[in-house]
Amino acid sequence: MKPKVTLVGAGPGDPELISLKGMKAIQAADVVLYDALVSVELLSYAPARARIVYVGKRRGRCEFVQQDLNQLIVDCALTYGHAVRLKGGDSFVFGRGYEEISFAQQFGIETAVIPGISSSIAVPALAGIPLTCRGVSESFWVLTGTTQNHSLSKDVAKAAQSSATLVILMGMQHLSQIVSELTGVGKAQTPVAIIQNGSMPEEKIGIGTVETIAGIVEKQQLTNPAIIIIGEVVRLHPSFENGRIEALAALGY
């Protein structure tokens, strides 16, 4: 069969949030290579003859280094035909999807990209937190909390000085540094939400401020996979009670 690689974004976790086009790609797959954050329910849509390969990555555990994974995707396409690379969220948002697609293209393999709903946008929305809101926030930054060398991104310090909403992925291990950066620019009272397992039945959410969030994380035992949302828009979450009322009043409601 003609080799092909299709990159499919599976969305934030809830299997129903995958696109129809992404679902059709799985149904047409000869082999599916899926990540740790992908709902295994989606694998049931693959043909019975399709090979299913787990290539997940978690902090502290990795089935494949990226270079080996790139080669595995190519080998699967050349051997079996249509290889669907199923990735959580959107594969072009901190998903290394471009690296995988460009590697396959070097072998003359046909490629396609099917976007997914990024957890950076979907998870706050599902929790009732808008990333932008008239009169509250005009923009947002989406940042990785952990760089290639496992340190906190320097962009966090730059973003902390803006009035934009900050959405930090993969940042739980650096939460104390994030708090320090924000406190250092006078934002100790800025609202913060941390959402673990967003969009899933086991979702947990902690709401507080930069000053209090570390204690809330410890009390609620919040951990990865989680998203950190920082900014005045967090006041619009129902858990803020009076703070939410004040925020809505400022908007004229």
Side-chain angles (χ1 to χ4, degrees), residues 194-253:
I194 293 181
I195 306 173
Q196 178 184 333
N197 292 317
S199 83
M200 301 297 287
E202 61 271 26
E203 177 178 297
K204 294 168 66 177
I205 182 167
I207 301 283
T209 64
V210 169
E211 186 176 53
T212 64
I213 196 63
I216 291 168
V217 165
E218 183 176 359
K219 181 179 179 180
Q220 297 187 211
Q221 297 184 321
L222 298 172
T223 185
N224 286 316
I227 291 177
I228 304 169
I229 305 120
I230 305 166
E232 293 302 316
V233 291
V234 177
R235 293 188 191 278
L236 298 173
H237 189 274
S239 293
F240 254 87
E241 299 178 353
N242 290 340
R244 182 171 188 260
I245 293 171
E246 292 169 4
L248 291 172
L251 293 174
Y253 295 107

Side-chain angles (χ1 to χ4, degrees), residues 5-249:
V5 173
T6 301
L7 213 60
V8 177
D14 181 345
E16 293 186 4
L17 291 176
I18 193 171
S19 69
L20 179 59
K21 191 166 187 175
M23 182 84 68
K24 289 180 177 180
I26 297 172
Q27 292 171 336
D30 295 306
V31 56
V32 178
L33 303 97
Y34 73 102
D35 274 351
L37 297 181
V38 169
S39 171
V40 293
E41 185 177 327
L42 292 174
L43 302 177
S44 66
Y45 293 98
R49 59 176 170 74
R51 295 175 179 267
I52 307 297
V53 183
Y54 174 73
V55 293
K57 296 180 181 180
R58 291 278 196 178
R59 185 169 177 253
R61 178 186 171 190
C62 180
E63 296 295 319
F64 296 90
V65 297
Q66 189 63 47
Q67 295 90 331
D68 292 343
L69 177 53
N70 293 346
Q71 187 62 57
L72 178 62
I73 295 168
V74 166
D75 291 345
C76 284
L78 293 174
T79 303
Y80 304 113
H82 186 198
V84 169
R85 178 70 173 99
L86 191 58
K87 302 169 75 72
D90 179 84
S91 53
F92 274 25
V93 180
F94 301 122
R96 305 189 73 168
Y98 180 76
E99 296 175 45
E100 296 172 2
I101 280 292
S102 60
F103 186 82
Q105 290 169 346
Q106 293 176 32
F107 292 81
I109 296 173
E110 179 186 353
T111 61
V113 176
I114 300 176
I117 303 175
S118 173
S119 58
S120 62
I121 297 173
V123 169
L126 291 168
I129 301 172
L131 296 187
T132 62
C133 183
R134 180 175 56 87
V136 181
S137 174
E138 298 176 353
S139 59
F140 61 91
W141 291 55
V142 178
L143 308 109
T144 178
T146 304
T147 61
Q148 189 173 2
N149 62 5
H150 306 293
S151 62
L152 180 67
S153 171
K154 293 181 180 179
D155 283 345
V156 172
K158 299 175 184 177
Q161 298 179 52
S162 77
S163 60
T165 303
L166 309 188
V167 182
I168 303 177
L169 311 180
M170 301 171 287
M172 290 297 285
Q173 60 268 40
H174 296 302
L175 183 61
S176 61
Q177 289 178 261
I178 294 168
V179 166
S180 179
E181 293 282 3
L182 288 155
T183 301
V185 293
K187 293 190 174 181
Q189 300 305 314
T190 300
V192 179
I194 293 181
I195 306 173
Q196 178 184 333
N197 292 317
S199 83
M200 301 297 287
E202 61 271 26
E203 177 178 297
K204 294 168 66 177
I205 182 167
I207 301 283
T209 64
V210 169
E211 186 176 53
T212 64
I213 196 63
I216 291 168
V217 165
E218 183 176 359
K219 181 179 179 180
Q220 297 187 211
Q221 297 184 321
L222 298 172
T223 185
N224 286 316
I227 291 177
I228 304 169
I229 305 120
I230 305 166
E232 293 302 316
V233 291
V234 177
R235 293 188 191 278
L236 298 173
H237 189 274
S239 293
F240 254 87
E241 299 178 353
N242 290 340
R244 182 171 188 260
I245 293 171
E246 292 169 4
L248 291 172

